[in-house]
């Protein structure tokens, strides 16, 4: 079945769908039209910003609108001050002292103008600080909100997605954009503010010399096109090197983390990892340096054209002033307006190319949100049976991992009866863990179906199905949380029920482990955080098994849960498990036959198929793989 990945969107036709489990790579934009087309991400981005905080969004836009008019107002007041100074300096019969000037009222207009310019300067500074404050608050809230949304969407995706390297690249890019696009908010609103300021400056120039506006545009277009080209190249480089970036991050983490420190030191891997990191980092540096050099060279040449345009306009204004067409104040105002207009339009055009580049990065974020999971609940799910009456039936079930040629399991046909403890036995790669993943709908079969009380598992609500299944995998997660929370993750909604947590700990034997911790159930375990205390492998496994009891599910699945326990501890765990699973349906996977023989029935798997089903005694009498493996293990104890 093909994956339901939806990409492109918003009028862009999606690329061909990959085969089951694949992720179609999104093509990099090459033409100017495709790059500008990425601006389609701006409206949904602005909607996200608005939804993050309407009040902060409105406040920053209003303040920016007022601030946008202050530069032209300040420059115009400056023009009036200069004209007033020239008029007073050239007036006949001027007083001899400052007091006389003031008493005669000749300085009244000047003082009012100076006060106005001072007030505008203070107002501009205050508004600038307020805008920066609001932008930082809005950006941080946007980053937090988007990160939460990213986590929520990732939670809906299939296990298959997380095991796909291409989707991991996309997820990594999306994570970076969730926190890395914070400056885009300020940039967008800043450009909107600049547009208002540009129009106010341009209005003055249009009155005196409209052709200066045309000159300005002609001078700035080459720099704009050059910047657009290099922004697109920068994005393409970052996009193409995402796998190497993930490897770089992985090597850095591996070389300096508590999880890997023992083996890195024992095997002397430090030099290898450091050299690997240096090689990858040097590759990044060379590629970025080459692009930066080209960008700086061409950017400098193209920007020089804009400078030439400014001085042509400045010479024209100076000539008009010499010939009496403009006053000194007019020259100051218009020259300042043209210079500010040149700078702001250059910034706006370059900002537009950066905006297009930022929009390309946003595509990484929004395209991730468009991935649709394949495993989901039906529109009208069937009520989950309480209790399970008949059990689970595997009908000719086959499954192959995405991209694999070999079937993980095929033609599986057996029954897991309600209320029985079923053990799965087989060598590594026989399909035991795959079967558990299918049973809990982490994957769906490619062939056949799995029935629960006579109905396909896909007819039930997915969340309700999993809520009734308690699974502890061999590679369980060691959460760096308190001991109580490590158990409570089995039924996180009951996190506040300490009695239930302690009861689950007693059932798994974890209560003895926790009794030896300085903080008891409130002790943080794991060494990632300060004051955390690490546990042995066997102690961690008892904590993990407690999660299954905490869940109190109808179906309990233990996938090699006692691999780190000694023989005595394992025997105790399974004896307790046998007692506590009374009346429940349970699946047990273990390589130790001393534990497996406690099961009601045993299913022997080989090469992804069911080879035999029966009790321990029945399977020994039949001979075959089970008897062979049992004898091999028993011989090791003789």
């Amino acid at each position: 079945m093909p994956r339901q990945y939806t990409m492109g969107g918003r009028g862009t036709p999606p690329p061909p769908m990959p085969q089951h489990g694949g992720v179609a790579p999104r093509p990099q934009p090459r033409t100017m039209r495709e790059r500008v087309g990425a601006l389609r991400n701006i409206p949904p981005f602005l909607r996200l910003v608005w939804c993050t905080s309407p009040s902060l969004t409105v406040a920053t836009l209003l303040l920016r609108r007022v601030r946008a008019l202050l530069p032209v107002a300040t420059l115009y007041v400056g023009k009036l001050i200069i004209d007033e100074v020239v008029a007073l300096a050239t007036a006949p019969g001027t007083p001899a002292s400052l007091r006389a000037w003031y008493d005669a009222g000749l300085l009244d207009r000047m003082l009012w103008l100076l006060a106005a310019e001072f007030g505008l300067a203070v107002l501009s500074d205050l508004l600038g600080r307020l805008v920066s404050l609001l932008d930082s608050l809005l950006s941080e809230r946007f980053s937090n909100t988007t990160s939460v949304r990213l986590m929520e969407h990732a939670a809906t995706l299939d296990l298959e997605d997380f095991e796909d390297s291409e989707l991991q690249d996309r997820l990594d890019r999306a994570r970076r954009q969730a926190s890395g696009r914070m400056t885009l908010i300020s940039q967008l609103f800043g450009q909107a503010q600049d547009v208002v300021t540009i129009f106010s400056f341009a209005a003055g120039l249009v009155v005196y010399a409209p052709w200066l506006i045309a000159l300005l545009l002609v001078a700035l277009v080459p720099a704009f096109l050059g910047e657009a080209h290099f922004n697109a190249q920068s994005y393409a480089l970052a996009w193409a090197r995402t796998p190497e970036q993930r490897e770089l991050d992985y090597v850095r983490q591996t070389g300096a983390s508590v999880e890997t420190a023992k083996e890195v030191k024992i095997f002397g891997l430090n030099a290898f990892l450091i050299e690997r990191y240096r090689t990858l980092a040097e590759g990044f540096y060379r590629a970025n340096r080459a692009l930066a050099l080209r960008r700086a060279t061409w950017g400098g040449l193209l920007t020089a054209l804009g400078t030439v345009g400014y001085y042509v306009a400045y010479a024209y204004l100076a000539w008009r002033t010499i010939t009496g067409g403009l006053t000194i104040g007019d020259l100051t105002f218009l020259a300042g307006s043209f210079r500010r207009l040149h700078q702001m339009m250059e910034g706006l055009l370059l900002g537009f190319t950066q905006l297009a580049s930022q929009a390309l990065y946003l595509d990484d974020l929004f395209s991730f949100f468009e991935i649709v999971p394949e495993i989901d609940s039906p529109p009208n799910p069937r009520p989950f049976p309480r209790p399970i009456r008949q059990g689970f039936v595997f009908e000719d079930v086959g499954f192959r991992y995405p991209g694999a040629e070999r079937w993980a399991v095929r033609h599986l046909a057996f029954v897991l009866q309600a209320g029985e403890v079923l053990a799965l036995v087989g060598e590594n790669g026989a399909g035991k863990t795959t079967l558990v993943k299918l049973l809990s709908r982490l994957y769906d079969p490619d062939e056949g179906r799995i029935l629960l009380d006579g109905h396909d598992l896909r007819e039930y609500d997915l969340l309700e199905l999993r809520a009734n299944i308690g699974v502890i995998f061999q590679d369980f997660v060691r959460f760096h949380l308190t001991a109580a929370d490590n158990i409570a993750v089995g039924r996180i909604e009951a996190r506040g029920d300490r009695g239930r947590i302690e009861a689950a700990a007693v059932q798994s034997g974890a209560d003895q482990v926790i009794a030896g911790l300085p903080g008891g159930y409130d002790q943080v375990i794991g060494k990632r955080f300060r004051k955390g205390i690490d546990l042995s492998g066997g102690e961690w496994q008892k904590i993990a098994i407690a999660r299954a009891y905490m869940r109190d599910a109808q179906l309990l699945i233990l996938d090699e849960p006692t691999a780190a326990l000694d023989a005595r501890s394992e025997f105790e765990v399974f004896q307790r498990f046998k007692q506590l699973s009374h009346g429940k349906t349970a699946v047990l996977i273990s390589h130790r036959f001393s534990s497996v023989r406690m099961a009601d029935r045993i299913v022997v798997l080989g090469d992804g198929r069911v080879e035999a089903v029966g009790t321990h005694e029945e399977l020994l009498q039949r001979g075959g793989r089970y008897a062979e493996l049992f004898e091999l293990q028993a011989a090791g104890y003789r």
Side-chain angles (χ1 to χ4, degrees):
M1 182 184 296
R3 298 287 293 133
Q4 300 299 313
Y5 288 103
T6 306
M7 290 175 284
R10 309 176 192 89
T12 304
M17 290 292 181
Q19 292 302 310
H20 182 83
V23 181
R26 182 167 44 82
Q28 301 175 40
R30 294 180 175 87
T31 67
M32 177 61 71
R33 181 177 179 182
E34 288 174 326
R35 295 169 193 163
V36 174
L39 293 173
R40 70 185 183 279
N41 291 315
I42 298 300
F45 173 75
L46 290 175
R47 285 196 292 271
L48 280 179
V49 173
W50 173 261
C51 293
T52 297
S53 177
S55 58
L56 286 175
T57 305
V58 170
T60 189
L61 287 175
L62 289 177
L63 290 177
R64 283 183 179 277
R65 185 169 183 178
V66 175
R67 195 166 179 241
L69 300 174
L70 294 183
V72 68
T74 302
L75 194 59
Y76 186 75
V77 171
K79 162 206 156 24
L80 296 178
I81 290 174
I82 291 174
D83 284 341
E84 184 68 13
V85 169
V86 172
L88 292 175
T90 57
T94 54
S97 66
L98 179 61
R99 181 69 181 182
W101 278 83
Y102 183 78
D103 291 340
L106 297 175
L107 296 180
D108 290 352
R109 177 177 168 81
M110 174 65 72
L111 292 174
W112 278 111
L113 290 172
L114 288 173
E117 187 171 41
F118 173 75
L120 289 173
V122 172
L123 181 60
S124 178
D125 181 63
L126 289 176
L127 289 179
R129 293 177 183 276
L130 278 174
V131 166
S132 296
L133 172 63
L134 294 177
D135 280 358
S136 65
L137 294 176
L138 183 58
S139 295
E140 186 170 354
R141 290 199 66 176
F142 173 81
S143 177
N144 293 339
T145 301
T146 306
S147 296
V148 168
R149 184 183 172 191
L150 187 71
M151 293 171 66
E152 289 174 341
H153 186 69
T156 68
L157 301 184
D158 302 332
L159 178 63
E160 170 186 341
D161 298 326
F162 289 97
E163 295 176 344
D164 186 281
S165 61
E166 174 60 29
L167 186 128
Q168 283 299 308
D169 289 342
R170 294 180 63 187
L171 176 58
D172 189 63
R173 287 193 291 267
R175 284 197 192 104
R176 294 176 190 274
Q177 304 327 311
S179 58
R181 296 305 107 198
M182 294 172 66
T183 56
L184 183 57
I185 297 175
S186 297
Q187 185 177 356
L188 270 172
F189 292 168
Q191 286 185 335
Q193 175 183 320
D194 289 345
V195 168
V196 177
T197 306
I198 285 171
F199 274 107
S200 61
F201 277 128
L205 287 178
V206 167
V207 173
Y208 291 93
W211 66 273
L212 292 178
I213 303 295
L215 173 65
L216 192 60
L217 290 173
V218 170
L220 292 177
V221 165
F224 163 70
L225 294 177
E227 192 67 17
H229 170 73
F230 287 111
N231 275 334
Q233 286 213 334
S234 178
Y235 168 74
L237 179 64
W239 193 94
R241 296 189 73 97
T242 301
E244 289 89 345
Q245 180 65 57
R246 282 205 302 123
E247 184 179 356
L248 190 73
D249 295 339
Y250 171 75
V251 172
R252 178 169 48 204
Q253 175 69 17
T254 303
S257 70
V258 64
E259 291 85 359
T260 60
K262 294 192 295 292
E263 293 198 25
V264 167
K265 289 182 179 296
I266 290 295
F267 295 124
L269 300 179
N270 298 86
F272 165 75
L273 292 172
I274 290 170
E275 182 58 31
R276 181 59 184 157
Y277 182 87
R278 184 182 287 115
T279 301
L280 288 168
E282 183 64 24
F284 274 93
Y285 172 75
R286 286 196 299 269
N288 291 332
R289 180 184 61 185
L291 179 60
L293 287 173
R294 292 197 306 271
R295 187 173 200 157
T297 301
W298 283 102
L301 291 174
L302 295 174
T303 302
L305 294 176
T307 305
V308 171
Y310 167 73
Y311 279 101
V312 169
Y314 192 64
Y316 169 76
L317 294 173
W319 174 250
R320 286 283 307 274
T321 304
I322 292 172
T323 57
L326 299 174
T327 66
I328 298 297
D330 291 336
L331 172 64
T332 304
F333 174 70
L334 292 175
S337 294
F338 188 85
R339 183 172 185 82
R340 290 292 302 276
L341 191 58
H342 169 268
Q343 293 172 342
M344 296 190 73
M345 288 191 67
E346 182 179 45
L348 188 65
L349 290 175
L350 295 182
F352 177 78
T353 64
Q354 293 170 359
L355 188 63
S357 175
Q358 298 263 18
L360 289 172
Y361 287 101
L362 281 175
D363 216 32
D364 295 330
L365 180 64
F366 289 127
S367 66
F368 180 78
F369 286 141
E370 290 172 348
I371 299 174
V372 179
E374 181 181 86
I375 299 176
D376 204 356
S377 300
N380 298 301
R382 178 179 297 277
F384 196 88
R386 299 178 186 278
I388 296 174
R389 299 186 180 282
Q390 300 173 27
F392 298 82
V393 178
F394 282 71
E395 290 188 347
D396 197 30
V397 170
F399 174 76
R400 182 166 51 189
Y401 284 98
E405 295 183 3
R406 176 177 171 272
W407 288 85
V409 294
R410 202 169 196 193
H411 301 306
L412 285 183
F414 68 93
V415 177
L416 170 58
Q417 299 171 3
E420 78 167 336
V421 177
L422 184 73
L424 299 179
V425 174
E427 298 175 89
N428 290 335
K432 302 184 297 296
T433 298
T434 299
L435 190 149
V436 172
K437 291 177 180 178
L438 293 172
L439 197 56
S440 53
R441 280 204 75 196
L442 293 175
Y443 287 98
D444 278 338
D446 293 318
E447 295 179 347
R449 60 178 184 164
I450 303 173
L451 305 180
L452 168 58
D453 281 4
H455 301 282
D456 196 309
L457 280 185
R458 286 169 281 206
E459 296 181 23
Y460 296 100
D461 181 79
L462 183 61
L463 294 180
E464 193 175 6
L465 169 69
R466 291 176 180 169
N468 280 275
I469 298 178
V471 186
I472 298 300
F473 290 103
Q474 181 178 357
D475 55 346
F476 59 86
V477 178
R478 303 184 181 195
F479 294 100
H480 293 258
L481 304 170
T482 65
D485 284 345
N486 257 281
I487 297 173
V489 296
R491 179 73 70 178
I492 197 62
E493 59 270 24
R495 178 172 176 260
D497 190 345
R498 179 57 65 90
R500 181 169 179 170
I501 292 172
E502 293 179 358
V506 170
Q507 291 169 338
S508 72
D511 59 322
Q512 299 175 12
V513 175
I514 297 172
L517 298 176
Y521 284 90
D522 297 320
Q523 173 67 53
V524 174
I525 52 179
K527 296 294 291 182
R528 183 177 296 271
F529 302 114
R530 185 170 173 263
K531 296 184 178 180
I533 294 179
D534 206 3
L535 304 179
S536 68
E539 290 171 332
W540 269 111
Q541 283 195 307
K542 289 182 178 180
I543 295 287
I545 294 170
R547 296 171 192 165
Y549 294 125
M550 178 72 185
R551 196 161 186 79
D552 192 26
Q554 294 198 68
L555 172 62
L556 290 176
I557 303 175
L558 301 185
D559 183 0
E560 292 287 348
T562 58
L565 298 179
D566 56 57
R568 180 184 296 275
S569 296
E570 183 192 45
F571 180 80
E572 292 173 355
V573 166
F574 281 119
Q575 283 281 52
R576 191 179 292 112
F577 174 74
K578 177 76 171 177
Q579 297 168 3
L580 295 172
S581 61
H582 180 70
K584 297 180 182 292
T585 307
V587 174
L588 169 64
I589 300 176
S590 178
H591 282 100
R592 294 181 180 174
F593 288 85
S594 58
S595 301
V596 169
R597 65 191 303 171
M598 300 180 188
D600 298 321
R601 287 190 307 143
I602 301 169
V603 174
V604 183
L605 297 176
D607 298 323
R609 300 170 187 266
V610 174
E611 291 189 347
V613 179
T615 64
H616 172 72
E617 290 75 15
E618 291 171 348
L619 292 174
L620 284 181
Q621 290 175 3
R622 284 184 216 167
R625 187 186 300 267
Y626 182 86
E628 177 187 354
L629 293 174
F630 178 81
E631 288 300 325
L632 284 173
Q633 192 171 110
Y637 291 95
R638 295 190 182 114

